[in-house]
Amino acid sequence: MLLFAMGFLLVILQPSTGQFPKACANTQNLLRKECCPPWDGDGSPCGELSNRGSCQNILLSQAPLGPQFPFSGVDDREDWPSVFYNRTCKCEGNFMGFNCGECKFGFSGLNCTERRLRTRRNIFQLTTAEKNKFLAYLNLAKSIPSRDYVIATGTYTQMKNGSNPMFRNINVYDLFVWMHYYASRDTLLGGSNVWRDIDFAHEAPGFLPWHRVFLLMWEREIQKITGDENFTIPYWDWRDAEDCVVCTDEYMGGRHPTNPNLLSPASFFSSWQVICTRSEEYNSQQTLCNATSEGPILRNPGNNDKSRTPRLPSSAEVEFCLSLTQYESEPMDKMANYSFRNTLEGFADPRTAISNISQSGLHNALHIYMNGSMSQVQGSANDPVFVLHHAFVDNIFERWLRRHRPMLEVYPAANAPIGHNRENYMVPFIPLYRNGEFFKSSRELGYDYEYLQEPALGSFQEFLIPYLEEARQIWAWLVGAAVIGAIITALLTGLILVCRKKRQRTSSEIQPLLIESEDYNNMCYQSNF
């Protein structure tokens, strides 16, 4: 009955965040290279009449990239989104969205002035009603078409540089599956040639910020299509788990009784069809995934290659990862050593932080362990366990941010693999988000994790936060100045005491000497600081 009732919620669909806005997926906008749709509130592009935003040229980062991608001008995702659009909406204040019709993450209200903090919880902490509602929301997203976004079914060249648009509609859940595919797909070089060493969402510094944005957008989309503004993604804490405890019909789908690679027919998800899983086929045909159904979800947890992933990650491995002080290290890809990002992603040993691509740790270990749709990067988001898993990975990222409190400058500004520098826009999101914008506490983005929650701040404390943050960024200079000041004070105190002793000797114990007052003053002096 709950799923049936959800069908009526179609009438409350709101603008969403995703890839190509329908309003811009046409010949006119592609040829003009402009995506500045009107805001419904006043009918002006980007809500300019209401001071929400304006249509402006995109400012691309000029910082040098790493050597991993030796080409230029062969991939539509280079300097995103300039191949398709070089003018988009630049929103003011707390407004956001492809037409500035939404609020930034963490804000709400008519004028986006109200702060809001939502809490993500462990899926096993949900009540039965809350858990069933989450499953129903997932199923609803799989059946409702995205109102405002379409996906590209051809490259810009195949679209004849915009004169022949190639887009199609897609449901809300699969929109996010497709975006994950598009960000991680290989570069098509013509003929049957491809370049595989490229990924705008993995194997580099942007891995954690990219998936943070992905989850925030996915979460907001569910909030819109259901009308449930309090919805948050639950997470699965897989530390020390003996098996896939969420892989039951009560939760994310049990094992099929006769075919261990399929889901139980009693599960919501046994009827789901996957998309974007045939990367070799797309590469050989030099085409993009067009979201055609490609069969059921595959999952056979635990029957994976044990030499690569012998078990699920342990608490000790997570704690070691959290102890690493460097967010990133050269060469800023899957070969990086002592990198928190690379260790959490799973390309470095979670006991030593030394790169070892023959093994899969932490994040990667879970994907391999699931042994099915989750185990192939481009199509991994087809399995709804994906969102539970990445919510917990984001949880670990958040714990690291709170423990080490890094400055923004810790995130690499240059020489990272393509698309991963601090000021690069994330592929394939429109509206545009830079990697560095999400290298900060989740509380600033409007969400928290239940067991990480801190006491609510008073208004005076909230007022002080920006100034405290500035002080934190120059703490080293402040400490240095304090130390130098203490040393100078100690020296001056010593000189003053010496002078006083000498003065006492001349005044009481010894008869006054016949010296000029000027000479006396020269015996005891101090500098002015």
Side-chain angles (χ1 to χ4, degrees), residues 178-195:
W178 188 91
M179 286 194 292
H180 191 265
Y181 147 79
Y182 190 80
S184 56
R185 69 174 179 85
D186 301 329
T187 294
L188 307 177
L189 296 174
S192 59
N193 299 315
V194 298
W195 184 261

Side-chain angles (χ1 to χ4, degrees), residues 287-335:
T287 60
L288 300 184
C289 165
N290 62 8
T292 299
S293 297
E294 296 173 349
I297 293 173
L298 300 178
R299 188 198 299 158
N300 191 349
N303 290 322
N304 56 289
D305 180 358
K306 294 297 194 297
S307 65
R308 185 175 188 86
T309 304
R311 54 173 172 73
L312 289 171
S314 69
S315 296
E317 290 169 339
V318 172
E319 285 303 315
F320 173 79
C321 182
L322 286 168
S323 73
L324 298 171
T325 57
Q326 291 187 85
Y327 176 76
E328 192 57 90
S329 63
E330 296 287 348
M332 294 188 272
D333 57 20
K334 60 187 176 184
M335 302 306 295

